[in-house]
Coordinates of all heavy atoms in Angstrom, one line a residue:
M1 N 13.6 -72.9 -11.6 CA 14.3 -72.6 -10.4 C 15.4 -73.7 -10.1 O 15.1 -74.9 -10.3 CB 13.3 -72.5 -9.2 CG 12.9 -71.1 -8.9 SD 11.6 -71.0 -7.7 CE 12.5 -71.7 -6.3
D2 N 16.5 -73.3 -9.6 CA 17.5 -74.3 -9.3 C 17.1 -75.3 -8.3 O 17.4 -76.5 -8.4 CB 18.8 -73.5 -8.7 CG 19.5 -72.8 -9.8 OD1 19.2 -73.1 -11.0 OD2 20.4 -72.0 -9.5
L3 N 16.3 -74.9 -7.3 CA 15.9 -75.8 -6.2 C 15.0 -76.9 -6.8 O 15.2 -78.1 -6.4 CB 15.2 -75.0 -5.1 CG 15.1 -75.7 -3.7 CD1 16.5 -75.8 -3.2 CD2 14.2 -74.9 -2.8
D4 N 14.1 -76.5 -7.6 CA 13.2 -77.5 -8.2 C 14.0 -78.5 -9.0 O 13.7 -79.7 -9.0 CB 12.2 -76.8 -9.1 CG 11.0 -76.2 -8.3 OD1 10.9 -76.5 -7.1 OD2 10.3 -75.4 -8.9
E5 N 14.9 -78.0 -9.8 CA 15.7 -78.9 -10.6 C 16.5 -79.9 -9.7 O 16.6 -81.1 -10.0 CB 16.7 -78.0 -11.4 CG 17.0 -78.6 -12.8 CD 17.8 -77.7 -13.6 OE1 17.3 -76.6 -13.9 OE2 19.0 -78.0 -13.9
E6 N 17.0 -79.4 -8.6 CA 17.7 -80.2 -7.7 C 16.9 -81.3 -7.2 O 17.3 -82.5 -7.2 CB 18.2 -79.3 -6.5 CG 19.2 -80.0 -5.6 CD 20.6 -79.7 -6.0 OE1 20.8 -79.0 -7.0 OE2 21.5 -80.3 -5.4
S7 N 15.7 -81.0 -6.8 CA 14.8 -82.1 -6.2 C 14.3 -83.1 -7.3 O 14.1 -84.2 -7.0 CB 13.6 -81.5 -5.4 OG 13.0 -80.5 -6.2
T8 N 14.2 -82.6 -8.5 CA 13.8 -83.4 -9.6 C 14.9 -84.5 -9.8 O 14.7 -85.6 -10.0 CB 13.5 -82.6 -10.9 OG1 12.6 -81.6 -10.6 CG2 13.0 -83.6 -12.0
N9 N 16.1 -84.0 -9.9 CA 17.3 -84.9 -10.1 C 17.3 -85.9 -9.0 O 17.6 -87.1 -9.2 CB 18.6 -84.1 -10.1 CG 18.7 -83.3 -11.4 OD1 18.0 -83.6 -12.3 ND2 19.6 -82.3 -11.4
L10 N 17.1 -85.5 -7.8 CA 17.2 -86.4 -6.6 C 16.1 -87.5 -6.8 O 16.4 -88.6 -6.6 CB 16.9 -85.6 -5.3 CG 17.5 -86.2 -4.1 CD1 19.0 -86.1 -4.1 CD2 16.9 -85.4 -2.9
A11 N 14.9 -87.1 -7.2 CA 13.8 -88.1 -7.3 C 14.2 -89.1 -8.4 O 13.9 -90.2 -8.3 CB 12.5 -87.4 -7.7
T12 N 14.8 -88.5 -9.5 CA 15.2 -89.4 -10.6 C 16.2 -90.4 -10.2 O 16.2 -91.6 -10.6 CB 15.7 -88.5 -11.8 OG1 14.8 -87.5 -12.1 CG2 15.9 -89.4 -13.0
R13 N 17.1 -89.9 -9.4 CA 18.2 -90.8 -8.9 C 17.7 -91.9 -8.0 O 18.2 -93.0 -8.0 CB 19.3 -90.0 -8.2 CG 20.7 -90.4 -8.6 CD 21.7 -89.5 -7.9 NE 21.6 -88.1 -8.3 CZ 21.7 -87.1 -7.4 NH1 21.9 -87.3 -6.2 NH2 21.5 -85.8 -7.8
E14 N 16.6 -91.6 -7.3 CA 16.1 -92.6 -6.4 C 15.4 -93.7 -7.1 O 15.2 -94.8 -6.7 CB 15.2 -92.0 -5.4 CG 15.9 -91.3 -4.2 CD 15.0 -90.6 -3.3 OE1 13.8 -90.8 -3.4 OE2 15.5 -89.8 -2.5
Y15 N 14.9 -93.4 -8.3 CA 14.2 -94.3 -9.1 C 15.0 -95.6 -9.3 O 16.2 -95.5 -9.8 CB 13.8 -93.7 -10.5 CG 13.1 -94.7 -11.4 CD1 11.8 -95.0 -11.3 CD2 13.9 -95.3 -12.4 CE1 11.2 -95.9 -12.1 CE2 13.3 -96.2 -13.3 CZ 11.9 -96.5 -13.1 OH 11.3 -97.4 -14.0
S16 N 14.5 -96.7 -9.1 CA 15.1 -98.0 -9.3 C 16.4 -98.3 -8.6 O 17.0 -99.3 -8.8 CB 15.3 -98.2 -10.8 OG 16.6 -97.7 -11.2
T17 N 16.7 -97.4 -7.6 CA 17.9 -97.8 -6.8 C 17.3 -98.5 -5.6 O 17.0 -99.7 -5.6 CB 18.7 -96.6 -6.4 OG1 17.9 -95.5 -6.0 CG2 19.5 -96.1 -7.6
A18 N 17.3 -97.8 -4.4 CA 16.8 -98.5 -3.2 C 15.4 -98.1 -2.9 O 15.1 -97.0 -2.5 CB 17.7 -98.1 -2.1
L19 N 14.5 -99.1 -3.2 CA 13.1 -98.9 -2.8 C 13.0 -99.3 -1.3 O 13.7 -100.2 -0.9 CB 12.2 -99.8 -3.7 CG 12.3 -99.5 -5.2 CD1 11.5 -100.6 -5.9 CD2 11.7 -98.2 -5.5
P20 N 12.2 -98.5 -0.6 CA 12.1 -98.8 0.9 C 11.2 -100.0 1.2 O 10.4 -99.9 2.1 CB 11.6 -97.5 1.4 CG 10.7 -97.0 0.3 CD 11.4 -97.4 -1.0
I21 N 11.5 -101.0 0.5 CA 10.6 -102.2 0.7 C 11.4 -103.5 0.9 O 12.6 -103.6 0.5 CB 9.6 -102.4 -0.4 CG1 10.4 -102.3 -1.8 CG2 8.5 -101.4 -0.4 CD1 9.6 -102.7 -3.0
T22 N 10.8 -104.4 1.6 CA 11.4 -105.7 1.8 C 10.3 -106.7 1.7 O 9.2 -106.4 1.5 CB 12.2 -105.8 3.1 OG1 12.9 -107.0 3.2 CG2 11.2 -105.6 4.3
V23 N 10.6 -108.0 1.8 CA 9.6 -109.0 1.7 C 9.6 -109.9 2.9 O 10.7 -110.3 3.4 CB 9.6 -109.8 0.4 CG1 10.8 -110.6 0.3 CG2 8.4 -110.6 0.2
D24 N 8.5 -110.1 3.5 CA 8.4 -111.1 4.6 C 8.3 -112.4 4.0 O 7.3 -112.8 3.4 CB 7.1 -110.8 5.5 CG 7.0 -111.7 6.7 OD1 7.3 -112.9 6.6 OD2 6.7 -111.2 7.8
E25 N 9.4 -113.2 4.1 CA 9.5 -114.4 3.4 C 8.5 -115.5 3.9 O 8.1 -116.3 3.2 CB 10.9 -115.0 3.4 CG 11.8 -114.2 2.5 CD 13.3 -114.6 2.6 OE1 13.5 -115.7 3.2 OE2 14.1 -113.9 2.1
R26 N 8.2 -115.4 5.2 CA 7.3 -116.3 5.7 C 5.9 -116.2 5.1 O 5.2 -117.2 4.8 CB 7.1 -116.1 7.2 CG 6.4 -117.2 7.9 CD 6.9 -117.5 9.3 NE 6.9 -116.2 10.1 CZ 6.2 -116.1 11.3 NH1 5.5 -117.1 11.7 NH2 6.3 -115.0 12.0
Y27 N 5.4 -115.0 4.8 CA 4.1 -114.8 4.3 C 4.1 -114.4 2.8 O 3.1 -114.2 2.2 CB 3.3 -113.8 5.1 CG 3.2 -114.2 6.5 CD1 3.8 -113.6 7.5 CD2 2.3 -115.3 6.8 CE1 3.7 -114.0 8.8 CE2 2.2 -115.7 8.1 CZ 2.8 -115.1 9.1 OH 2.7 -115.5 10.4
N28 N 5.4 -114.2 2.3 CA 5.5 -113.7 0.9 C 4.8 -112.3 0.8 O 4.1 -112.0 -0.2 CB 4.9 -114.6 -0.1 CG 5.9 -114.8 -1.3 OD1 7.0 -114.4 -1.2 ND2 5.5 -115.5 -2.3
L29 N 4.9 -111.5 1.8 CA 4.2 -110.2 1.9 C 5.2 -109.1 1.8 O 6.2 -109.1 2.5 CB 3.4 -110.1 3.2 CG 2.6 -108.8 3.4 CD1 1.5 -108.7 2.4 CD2 2.1 -108.8 4.8
I30 N 4.9 -108.2 0.9 CA 5.8 -107.0 0.8 C 5.6 -106.1 1.9 O 4.5 -105.8 2.3 CB 5.6 -106.3 -0.6 CG1 5.9 -107.3 -1.7 CG2 6.4 -105.1 -0.7 CD1 5.4 -106.9 -3.1
V31 N 6.7 -105.6 2.5 CA 6.6 -104.7 3.7 C 7.3 -103.4 3.4 O 8.5 -103.4 2.9 CB 7.2 -105.4 4.9 CG1 7.2 -104.4 6.1 CG2 6.5 -106.7 5.2
C32 N 6.7 -102.3 3.7 CA 7.4 -101.0 3.5 C 8.2 -100.8 4.7 O 7.7 -100.8 5.9 CB 6.4 -99.9 3.4 SG 7.2 -98.3 3.3
K33 N 9.5 -100.6 4.5 CA 10.5 -100.5 5.6 C 10.3 -99.2 6.4 O 10.6 -99.1 7.5 CB 11.9 -100.6 5.1 CG 12.3 -102.1 4.7 CD 13.8 -102.2 4.5 CE 14.2 -101.7 3.2 NZ 15.6 -102.1 2.8
E34 N 9.9 -98.2 5.7 CA 9.7 -96.9 6.3 C 8.4 -96.8 7.1 O 8.4 -96.2 8.2 CB 9.8 -95.8 5.2 CG 11.2 -95.6 4.7 CD 11.3 -94.3 3.8 OE1 10.4 -93.5 3.9 OE2 12.3 -94.3 3.1
C35 N 7.4 -97.3 6.6 CA 6.1 -97.2 7.3 C 5.8 -98.5 8.1 O 5.0 -98.5 9.0 CB 4.9 -97.1 6.3 SG 5.1 -95.7 5.1
R36 N 6.6 -99.5 7.9 CA 6.5 -100.8 8.7 C 5.1 -101.3 8.6 O 4.5 -101.7 9.6 CB 6.9 -100.6 10.1 CG 8.3 -100.2 10.2 CD 8.9 -100.3 11.7 NE 10.3 -99.9 11.7 CZ 11.2 -100.8 11.4 NH1 10.9 -102.0 11.0 NH2 12.5 -100.4 11.4
I37 N 4.6 -101.3 7.3 CA 3.3 -101.9 7.1 C 3.4 -102.9 5.9 O 4.2 -102.7 5.1 CB 2.2 -100.9 6.8 CG1 2.6 -100.0 5.6 CG2 1.8 -100.1 8.0 CD1 1.4 -99.1 5.1
G38 N 2.5 -103.9 6.0 CA 2.5 -104.9 4.9 C 1.7 -104.2 3.7 O 0.7 -103.5 3.9
L39 N 2.2 -104.5 2.5 CA 1.6 -104.0 1.3 C 1.3 -105.1 0.3 O 2.2 -105.8 -0.1 CB 2.6 -103.0 0.6 CG 3.0 -101.7 1.3 CD1 4.1 -101.1 0.6 CD2 1.8 -100.8 1.4
P40 N 0.0 -105.3 0.1 CA -0.4 -106.2 -1.0 C 0.3 -105.8 -2.3 O 0.5 -104.6 -2.5 CB -1.9 -106.1 -1.1 CG -2.3 -105.5 0.2 CD -1.2 -104.6 0.7
S41 N 0.6 -106.8 -3.1 CA 1.4 -106.5 -4.3 C 0.7 -105.4 -5.2 O 1.4 -104.6 -5.9 CB 1.7 -107.7 -5.1 OG 0.6 -108.4 -5.5
D42 N -0.6 -105.4 -5.2 CA -1.3 -104.5 -6.0 C -1.4 -103.1 -5.4 O -1.9 -102.1 -6.0 CB -2.7 -105.0 -6.5 CG -3.4 -105.8 -5.4 OD1 -2.8 -106.0 -4.3 OD2 -4.5 -106.3 -5.7
W43 N -0.8 -102.9 -4.2 CA -0.8 -101.6 -3.6 C 0.6 -100.9 -3.6 O 0.8 -99.8 -3.4 CB -1.1 -101.7 -2.1 CG -2.6 -101.8 -1.9 CD1 -3.6 -102.0 -2.8 CD2 -3.2 -101.7 -0.6 NE1 -4.8 -102.0 -2.1 CE2 -4.6 -101.9 -0.8 CE3 -2.7 -101.5 0.7 CZ2 -5.5 -101.8 0.3 CZ3 -3.6 -101.5 1.8 CH2 -5.0 -101.6 1.6
V44 N 1.6 -101.8 -3.8 CA 3.0 -101.3 -3.6 C 3.4 -100.1 -4.5 O 3.9 -99.1 -4.0 CB 4.0 -102.5 -3.9 CG1 5.4 -102.0 -3.8 CG2 3.8 -103.6 -3.0
V45 N 3.1 -100.2 -5.8 CA 3.4 -99.1 -6.7 C 2.8 -97.8 -6.3 O 3.4 -96.7 -6.2 CB 3.1 -99.5 -8.2 CG1 3.3 -98.3 -9.1 CG2 4.0 -100.7 -8.6
A46 N 1.5 -97.8 -6.0 CA 0.8 -96.6 -5.6 C 1.3 -96.1 -4.2 O 1.4 -94.9 -4.0 CB -0.7 -96.9 -5.5
H47 N 1.6 -97.0 -3.3 CA 2.1 -96.6 -2.0 C 3.4 -95.9 -2.1 O 3.6 -94.8 -1.5 CB 2.2 -97.9 -1.1 CG 2.9 -97.5 0.2 ND1 2.1 -97.1 1.3 CD2 4.2 -97.4 0.6 CE1 2.9 -96.9 2.3 NE2 4.2 -97.0 1.9
L48 N 4.3 -96.5 -2.9 CA 5.6 -95.8 -3.1 C 5.5 -94.5 -3.7 O 6.2 -93.5 -3.3 CB 6.5 -96.7 -3.9 CG 7.0 -98.0 -3.3 CD1 7.7 -98.9 -4.2 CD2 7.9 -97.7 -2.0
K49 N 4.6 -94.3 -4.7 CA 4.4 -93.1 -5.3 C 3.8 -92.0 -4.4 O 4.3 -90.9 -4.2 CB 3.6 -93.3 -6.6 CG 3.4 -92.0 -7.4 CD 2.9 -92.4 -8.8 CE 2.6 -91.2 -9.7 NZ 1.2 -90.9 -9.7
E50 N 2.7 -92.4 -3.7 CA 2.0 -91.5 -2.9 C 2.7 -91.1 -1.6 O 2.7 -90.0 -1.2 CB 0.6 -92.0 -2.6 CG -0.3 -91.9 -3.8 CD -1.6 -92.7 -3.6 OE1 -2.0 -92.9 -2.4 OE2 -2.2 -93.1 -4.6
H51 N 3.3 -92.1 -1.0 CA 3.9 -91.8 0.3 C 5.4 -91.5 0.3 O 6.0 -90.9 1.2 CB 3.7 -93.0 1.2 CG 2.2 -93.2 1.6 ND1 1.6 -92.8 2.7 CD2 1.3 -93.9 0.8 CE1 0.4 -93.1 2.7 NE2 0.1 -93.7 1.6
H52 N 6.1 -92.0 -0.7 CA 7.5 -91.8 -0.8 C 8.0 -91.1 -2.0 O 9.2 -90.8 -2.2 CB 8.2 -93.1 -0.6 CG 7.8 -93.8 0.6 ND1 8.0 -93.4 1.9 CD2 7.1 -95.0 0.8 CE1 7.4 -94.2 2.7 NE2 6.9 -95.2 2.1
G53 N 7.1 -90.7 -2.9 CA 7.5 -90.0 -4.2 C 8.4 -90.8 -5.1 O 9.1 -90.3 -5.8
V54 N 8.3 -92.2 -4.9 CA 9.2 -93.0 -5.7 C 8.3 -93.7 -6.8 O 7.3 -94.3 -6.6 CB 9.8 -94.1 -4.9 CG1 10.7 -95.0 -5.7 CG2 10.6 -93.5 -3.7
R55 N 8.8 -93.5 -8.1 CA 8.1 -94.1 -9.2 C 8.7 -95.4 -9.5 O 9.9 -95.5 -9.7 CB 8.1 -93.2 -10.4 CG 7.2 -92.0 -10.3 CD 7.0 -91.4 -11.6 NE 6.4 -90.1 -11.5 CZ 6.3 -89.2 -12.5 NH1 6.7 -89.6 -13.7 NH2 5.8 -88.1 -12.3
T56 N 7.9 -96.4 -9.6 CA 8.4 -97.7 -10.0 C 7.3 -98.5 -10.6 O 6.2 -98.0 -10.8 CB 9.0 -98.5 -8.8 OG1 9.6 -99.7 -9.2 CG2 7.9 -98.8 -7.7
I57 N 7.6 -99.7 -11.1 CA 6.6 -100.6 -11.6 C 6.6 -101.9 -10.9 O 7.7 -102.3 -10.3 CB 6.8 -100.8 -13.2 CG1 8.2 -101.3 -13.4 CG2 6.5 -99.6 -14.0 CD1 8.4 -101.8 -14.8
I58 N 5.5 -102.6 -10.9 CA 5.4 -103.8 -10.1 C 6.5 -104.8 -10.5 O 7.0 -105.5 -9.6 CB 4.0 -104.4 -10.2 CG1 3.8 -105.5 -9.1 CG2 3.6 -104.9 -11.6 CD1 4.0 -105.1 -7.7
K59 N 6.8 -104.9 -11.8 CA 7.8 -105.9 -12.2 C 9.2 -105.6 -11.5 O 9.9 -106.5 -11.1 CB 7.9 -105.8 -13.7 CG 8.7 -106.9 -14.4 CD 8.5 -107.0 -15.9 CE 9.3 -108.1 -16.5 NZ 10.6 -107.6 -17.0
E60 N 9.5 -104.3 -11.5 CA 10.7 -103.9 -10.8 C 10.7 -104.3 -9.3 O 11.7 -104.7 -8.8 CB 11.0 -102.4 -11.0 CG 12.3 -102.0 -10.6 CD 12.5 -100.5 -11.0 OE1 11.6 -99.7 -10.8 OE2 13.7 -100.2 -11.3
V61 N 9.6 -104.0 -8.7 CA 9.5 -104.3 -7.3 C 9.7 -105.8 -7.1 O 10.5 -106.2 -6.2 CB 8.1 -103.9 -6.8 CG1 7.8 -104.5 -5.4 CG2 7.9 -102.4 -6.8
L62 N 9.0 -106.6 -7.8 CA 9.1 -108.1 -7.7 C 10.5 -108.6 -8.0 O 11.0 -109.5 -7.3 CB 8.1 -108.8 -8.6 CG 6.6 -108.5 -8.2 CD1 5.7 -109.2 -9.2 CD2 6.3 -108.8 -6.8
T63 N 11.1 -108.0 -9.0 CA 12.5 -108.4 -9.3 C 13.5 -108.0 -8.2 O 14.3 -108.8 -7.8 CB 12.9 -107.7 -10.7 OG1 12.0 -108.1 -11.7 CG2 14.3 -108.2 -11.1
L64 N 13.3 -106.8 -7.7 CA 14.2 -106.3 -6.7 C 14.1 -107.2 -5.4 O 15.0 -107.6 -4.8 CB 13.8 -104.9 -6.3 CG 14.6 -104.3 -5.1 CD1 15.8 -103.6 -5.7 CD2 13.8 -103.3 -4.4
L65 N 12.9 -107.6 -5.1 CA 12.6 -108.5 -3.9 C 12.9 -109.9 -4.2 O 12.9 -110.7 -3.3 CB 11.2 -108.3 -3.5 CG 10.8 -106.8 -3.0 CD1 9.4 -106.8 -2.7 CD2 11.6 -106.5 -1.8
G66 N 13.1 -110.3 -5.5 CA 13.4 -111.7 -5.8 C 12.2 -112.6 -5.5 O 12.4 -113.7 -5.2
V67 N 11.0 -112.1 -5.6 CA 9.8 -112.9 -5.4 C 9.2 -113.4 -6.7 O 8.1 -113.9 -6.7 CB 8.8 -112.2 -4.5 CG1 9.3 -112.0 -3.1 CG2 8.3 -110.9 -5.1
G68 N 9.9 -113.2 -7.8 CA 9.3 -113.7 -9.1 C 8.0 -113.0 -9.4 O 7.9 -111.8 -9.1
D69 N 7.1 -113.7 -9.9 CA 5.8 -113.0 -10.2 C 4.7 -113.3 -9.1 O 3.6 -113.1 -9.4 CB 5.3 -113.3 -11.6 CG 5.3 -114.8 -11.9 OD1 5.3 -115.6 -10.9 OD2 5.4 -115.2 -13.0
Y70 N 5.2 -113.8 -8.0 CA 4.2 -114.0 -7.0 C 4.5 -113.2 -5.7 O 5.5 -113.2 -5.2 CB 4.0 -115.5 -6.6 CG 3.0 -115.6 -5.4 CD1 1.7 -115.5 -5.7 CD2 3.4 -115.7 -4.1 CE1 0.7 -115.5 -4.7 CE2 2.5 -115.7 -3.1 CZ 1.2 -115.6 -3.4 OH 0.2 -115.7 -2.4
A71 N 3.5 -112.4 -5.3 CA 3.5 -111.8 -4.0 C 2.0 -111.7 -3.6 O 1.2 -111.8 -4.4 CB 4.2 -110.5 -4.0
M72 N 1.8 -111.6 -2.3 CA 0.4 -111.6 -1.8 C -0.3 -110.4 -2.4 O 0.1 -109.3 -2.4 CB 0.5 -111.5 -0.3 CG -0.9 -111.8 0.4 SD -0.8 -111.7 2.2 CE 0.0 -113.2 2.6
T73 N -1.5 -110.7 -2.9 CA -2.4 -109.6 -3.4 C -3.3 -109.1 -2.3 O -3.3 -109.7 -1.2 CB -3.2 -110.1 -4.6 OG1 -4.0 -111.2 -4.1 CG2 -2.3 -110.6 -5.7
L74 N -4.0 -108.1 -2.6 CA -4.9 -107.5 -1.7 C -5.9 -108.5 -1.1 O -6.1 -108.7 0.1 CB -5.7 -106.3 -2.3 CG -6.7 -105.7 -1.4 CD1 -6.1 -105.2 -0.1 CD2 -7.4 -104.5 -2.1
A75 N -6.5 -109.3 -2.0 CA -7.5 -110.3 -1.6 C -6.9 -111.3 -0.7 O -7.5 -111.7 0.3 CB -8.1 -110.9 -2.8
E76 N -5.7 -111.7 -1.0 CA -5.0 -112.7 -0.2 C -4.6 -112.1 1.1 O -4.7 -112.8 2.2 CB -3.8 -113.2 -0.9 CG -4.1 -114.1 -2.1 CD -2.9 -114.3 -3.0 OE1 -2.1 -113.5 -3.1 OE2 -2.9 -115.4 -3.7
A77 N -4.2 -110.9 1.1 CA -3.8 -110.2 2.4 C -5.0 -110.1 3.3 O -4.9 -110.3 4.5 CB -3.2 -108.9 2.1
E78 N -6.2 -109.8 2.8 CA -7.4 -109.6 3.6 C -7.7 -111.0 4.2 O -8.1 -111.0 5.4 CB -8.5 -109.1 2.7 CG -8.4 -107.6 2.6 CD -9.5 -107.0 1.7 OE1 -10.2 -107.8 1.0 OE2 -9.7 -105.8 1.7
N79 N -7.6 -112.0 3.4 CA -7.8 -113.3 3.9 C -6.9 -113.7 5.0 O -7.3 -114.2 6.1 CB -7.5 -114.3 2.7 CG -8.7 -115.2 2.4 OD1 -9.5 -115.4 3.3 ND2 -8.8 -115.7 1.3
W80 N -5.7 -113.3 4.8 CA -4.6 -113.6 5.8 C -4.9 -112.9 7.1 O -4.7 -113.4 8.2 CB -3.3 -113.2 5.1 CG -2.1 -113.3 6.0 CD1 -1.6 -114.4 6.6 CD2 -1.3 -112.2 6.4 NE1 -0.5 -114.0 7.4 CE2 -0.3 -112.7 7.2 CE3 -1.3 -110.8 6.1 CZ2 0.7 -111.9 7.8 CZ3 -0.3 -110.0 6.6 CH2 0.7 -110.6 7.4
I81 N -5.2 -111.6 7.0 CA -5.4 -110.8 8.1 C -6.7 -111.3 8.9 O -6.6 -111.4 10.1 CB -5.7 -109.3 7.8 CG1 -4.3 -108.7 7.3 CG2 -6.2 -108.5 8.9 CD1 -4.5 -107.5 6.5
Q82 N -7.7 -111.7 8.2 CA -8.9 -112.3 8.9 C -8.6 -113.6 9.6 O -9.3 -113.9 10.5 CB -10.0 -112.4 7.8 CG -10.7 -111.1 7.5 CD -11.6 -111.2 6.2 OE1 -11.8 -112.3 5.8 NE2 -12.0 -110.1 5.7
N83 N -7.7 -114.3 9.1 CA -7.3 -115.6 9.7 C -6.4 -115.5 10.8 O -6.0 -116.5 11.4 CB -6.8 -116.5 8.6 CG -7.9 -117.0 7.6 OD1 -9.0 -117.1 8.0 ND2 -7.5 -117.2 6.4
M84 N -5.9 -114.3 11.1 CA -4.9 -114.2 12.2 C -5.6 -114.3 13.6 O -6.7 -113.9 13.7 CB -4.2 -112.9 12.0 CG -2.9 -113.0 11.1 SD -2.1 -111.4 10.9 CE -1.3 -111.3 12.5
Ligands
ZN101 ZN1 5.7 -96.6 3.1

């Protein structure tokens, strides 16, 4: 179907262009700009896929955000939230 093909193309085009994420530099925490929630680095890829239909890999996310190979992981985020 034409419509299916159209949406597939759209999804492909979104890949690796603008991911709806940013990083809170103070906490080195990745934040989803659309959902406005903090995402531990080990959740980002699954979150983008499940909630926004965007396929990416963690390396691309980290490169895009310029955080190198460090961003807050789930365990660190839980720690951080508990200490707030
Ligand atoms: Zn989101």
Side-chain angles (χ1 to χ4, degrees):
M1 266 175 64
D2 284 347
L3 201 67
D4 279 348
E5 211 171 299
E6 189 91 4
S7 50
T8 307
N9 287 342
L10 204 68
T12 309
R13 224 176 298 137
E14 279 174 15
Y15 175 82
S16 88
T17 47
L19 298 172
I21 48 173
T22 186
V23 68
D24 184 317
E25 286 177 12
R26 190 148 53 122
Y27 299 109
N28 228 8
L29 179 68
I30 297 165
V31 176
C32 177
K33 288 193 279 192
E34 289 190 18
C35 306
R36 298 192 177 281
I37 54 169
L39 295 169
S41 58
D42 35 2
W43 281 11
V44 177
V45 172
H47 176 89
L48 289 173
K49 187 163 171 262
E50 282 168 28
H51 295 264
H52 306 294
V54 179
R55 285 194 196 176
T56 188
I57 52 170
I58 190 64
K59 191 164 179 267
E60 188 173 39
V61 169
L62 298 178
T63 303
L64 180 88
L65 296 173
V67 292
D69 49 22
Y70 177 76
M72 196 180 280
T73 61
L74 176 58
E76 288 166 332
E78 280 178 343
N79 235 337
W80 172 63
I81 288 161
Q82 279 164 15
N83 287 330
M84 272 176 76

